[in-house]
Amino acid sequence: MRFSRFAAIMRKETRQAIRDPSTLMIAGLLPIMLIFLFGYAVSFDPRQFSVGVVVEQPTGETESFVASLRNTRYFEIETAPVRKDFETLMAAGELDAIIILPQDFSAIALRGEAAPIQILVDGGDPNTAGLVGSYIELLVINWLEQEWLDRGQPPLAPLVSIEPRVWFNAEISSRNYLVPGSVAIILTIIGALLTALVVAREWERGTMEALLATPVGPLELLLGKLVPYFVLGLGSFMLSVFVAVAFFGVPFRGSFFALSLAAALFMLCSLGQGLLISTLTRNQLVAAQVAVMLAFLPAFYFSNFVFELDSMPLALQLFSYAIPARFLVSTLQTQFLAGNVWAVLLPDLAALAIFAIVIFAICALFTRTRLD
């Protein structure tokens, strides 16, 4: 490898990247758009649920119970005397749950027995169904205890006393979990698209064949093409981290050096993958489609960013170990929320380093075949 040839290739790629608006948009504008999209549009936090309450026999207790529901920020309450009025609305997806208070609700509830409440929940979305059912059950218990206190009765002793302590994400905000993970998805898209589209464009225009006809070697060609986009990718990473901390208020408790090292190793994987795709396809449209199929979709589904890997079949859990984004998402979420947990970080860094070496070796092999 001669440094002069490597430097010449690198200067050529740098000038091409600076003069190409699409490259600068992918590296600069796309990360901001995506992180704001993931930060604001994607959320697992509880929303306001629409609930219908059927009151068969209005009493002071039923009014008190309905008032306790209205005083929470999680429920939008409607009332009706019969259940049939709400069944059509739930079937149409306009109600998340129906609470039915029977005629003997007041008499049984105030005897300290189990409150005779029927809860019908729309199970189309299992997560929402579970949240609604849990919130309603908790409200029933709290309301019953308060009613006994208001009537001068001793409070009902709970069977278990729970004192929750939330570690790492005390606000229980899904944004603090999603925004760090989204940085890995952003780097996946940027890394794969930057090299896949740009290099495929050279194949289409015929400039790549002219370059391969020169004395440049495989290693000089690979490094000369990857270094400028590697720097752009790291710039996108730093921009994403800055937006996550400054605009979304996500706590950062770890080492920026360790996080940057993980991002650098991952960028080598992603850029190498994009370069390999462009070498095999040699067409921008095909390269973009293949990059989405082989880089973005596996990273999105099998990185533990949105979908829990533990809930997947064992075969898919094992497959996720072949996805570099899985290890970067783990590093990002650990660094942001927990700090330097080296028992997690060191295996992730080792896995990313192995991926980078393997992908780079495959790229060199295919590039050498084309040069010969």
Side-chain angles (χ1 to χ4, degrees), residues 43 45 47 52 60 77 92 138 149 172 185 201 209 305 330 340:
S43 176
D45 294 335
R47 56 180 175 83
I77 301 299
L138 181 60
L149 290 175
I172 318 182
I185 307 302
R201 185 184 308 150
E209 285 83 350
F305 164 57
S330 173
N340 294 323

Side-chain angles (χ1 to χ4, degrees), residues 265-343:
L265 292 173
F266 181 78
M267 281 302 302
L268 290 177
C269 301
S270 188
L271 291 172
Q273 190 175 10
L275 184 61
L276 182 61
I277 290 172
S278 66
T279 302
L280 296 176
T281 59
R282 301 190 178 188
N283 180 276
Q284 291 187 76
L285 179 60
V286 177
Q289 294 174 339
V290 174
V292 170
M293 293 293 296
L294 297 183
F296 169 71
L297 290 181
F300 189 82
Y301 284 105
F302 298 105
S303 65
N304 217 26
F305 164 57
V306 174
F307 304 99
E308 289 288 340
L309 293 176
D310 293 339
S311 63
M312 296 182 180
L314 179 60
L316 295 181
Q317 294 184 39
L318 296 176
F319 173 75
S320 69
Y321 286 98
I323 308 301
R326 171 195 172 116
F327 303 97
L328 182 61
V329 168
S330 173
T331 298
L332 285 163
Q333 292 173 343
T334 301
Q335 286 282 280
F336 271 89
L337 298 179
N340 294 323
V341 183
W342 296 109

Side-chain angles (χ1 to χ4, degrees), residues 7-309:
I9 297 292
M10 188 174 64
R11 284 196 301 269
K12 175 255 184 190
E13 291 296 327
T14 302
R15 291 174 180 174
Q16 179 175 320
I18 293 175
R19 294 172 181 175
D20 185 8
S22 63
T23 300
L24 297 179
M25 288 182 63
I26 292 175
L29 184 59
L30 186 60
I32 297 177
M33 292 176 57
L34 289 176
I35 199 165
F36 273 94
L37 177 65
F38 286 124
Y40 285 115
V42 181
S43 176
F44 297 142
D45 294 335
R47 56 180 175 83
Q48 192 174 48
F49 304 108
S50 298
V51 177
V53 181
V54 178
V55 182
E56 296 182 353
Q57 180 66 44
T59 63
E61 287 74 25
T62 58
E63 292 181 2
S64 172
F65 179 76
V66 172
S68 69
L69 294 177
R70 294 188 191 276
N71 290 333
T72 65
R73 62 186 180 92
Y74 296 119
F75 295 125
E76 181 180 345
I77 301 299
E78 298 181 25
T79 59
V82 293
R83 167 174 159 178
K84 186 178 296 185
D85 294 344
F86 290 135
E87 290 180 345
T88 304
L89 294 177
M90 177 175 281
E94 298 181 17
L95 283 181
D96 296 301
I98 301 175
I99 302 174
I100 302 174
L101 306 180
Q103 294 183 356
D104 55 355
F105 169 78
S106 300
I108 298 179
L110 295 180
R111 289 203 301 263
E113 301 177 8
I117 297 178
Q118 183 180 18
I119 303 173
L120 304 178
V121 182
D122 183 359
D125 183 350
N127 293 328
T128 299
L131 282 174
V132 173
S134 299
Y135 287 154
I136 292 176
E137 290 177 8
L138 181 60
L139 281 172
V140 170
I141 295 174
N142 292 338
W143 171 83
L144 185 56
E145 291 180 353
Q146 187 62 43
E147 281 292 311
W148 274 61
L149 290 175
D150 292 343
R151 290 175 175 266
Q153 300 289 340
L156 299 175
L159 297 178
V160 178
S161 178
I162 301 176
E163 296 182 3
R165 296 290 186 271
V166 180
W167 286 13
F168 311 131
N169 186 10
E171 300 86 357
I172 318 182
S173 172
S174 62
R175 178 177 294 175
N176 292 345
Y177 177 83
L178 290 173
V179 171
S182 68
V183 176
I185 307 302
I186 292 171
L187 293 185
T188 301
I189 298 174
I190 292 174
L193 285 180
L194 276 177
T195 49
L197 294 180
V198 173
V199 178
R201 185 184 308 150
E202 291 198 56
W203 284 109
E204 288 182 347
R205 294 175 178 175
T207 56
M208 182 62 74
E209 285 83 350
L211 183 62
L212 296 180
T214 65
V216 65
L219 190 59
E220 297 161 353
L221 178 63
L222 283 176
L223 292 179
K225 283 192 165 296
L226 288 181
V227 167
Y229 301 110
F230 176 78
V231 174
L232 282 177
L234 285 185
S236 301
F237 159 74
M238 293 180 183
L239 179 62
S240 300
V241 172
F242 172 77
V243 172
V245 175
F247 286 86
F248 291 105
V250 180
F252 183 78
R253 302 186 174 101
S255 167
F256 186 75
F257 172 78
L259 187 61
S260 299
L261 178 60
L265 292 173
F266 181 78
M267 281 302 302
L268 290 177
C269 301
S270 188
L271 291 172
Q273 190 175 10
L275 184 61
L276 182 61
I277 290 172
S278 66
T279 302
L280 296 176
T281 59
R282 301 190 178 188
N283 180 276
Q284 291 187 76
L285 179 60
V286 177
Q289 294 174 339
V290 174
V292 170
M293 293 293 296
L294 297 183
F296 169 71
L297 290 181
F300 189 82
Y301 284 105
F302 298 105
S303 65
N304 217 26
F305 164 57
V306 174
F307 304 99
E308 289 288 340
L309 293 176

